[in-house]
Amino acid sequence: MNDTLASARAALPEKAVSSGRRPTGPRGMIAAWRERIRFRWDLKQMAETNPHLIDDIGLTRRQLEAEIVKRFWQV
């Protein structure tokens, strides 16, 4: 993840941001996937409801769209 997307994570609620630990085993992998799904959904909602916040965290429209269309297994 680049620094710009790290900034986006910082702008989201605390529960949407991981503790930074690597997932271990199937449960950890599923948890990581769910977190990515939620993070990307939150980005999409933020872009639709408050597009000025996307500018504030330093993402371009192209970066935002590239992150939103990623599948849950893609980092």
Side-chain angles (χ1 to χ4, degrees):
M1 182 182 330
N2 63 31
D3 293 335
T4 305
L5 293 177
S7 299
R9 281 183 168 248
L12 295 174
E14 187 62 33
K15 69 179 184 176
V17 179
S18 73
S19 62
R21 293 178 41 199
R22 296 253 182 215
T24 56
R27 287 185 182 181
M29 186 65 73
I30 291 170
W33 288 347
R34 286 183 178 165
E35 181 181 333
R36 289 181 202 147
I37 291 167
R38 180 62 186 201
F39 172 69
R40 291 170 183 154
W41 185 86
D42 285 342
L43 270 181
K44 184 177 180 180
Q45 295 303 312
M46 186 187 305
E48 291 172 357
T49 59
N50 298 312
H52 64 281
L53 293 178
I54 300 300
D55 293 334
D56 288 348
I57 59 176
L59 286 176
T60 65
R61 188 71 185 172
R62 182 172 286 170
Q63 289 172 321
L64 174 73
E65 290 170 358
E67 185 66 23
I68 289 172
V69 299
K70 285 183 184 177
R71 300 293 186 181
F72 64 89
W73 62 83
Q74 295 174 312
V75 178

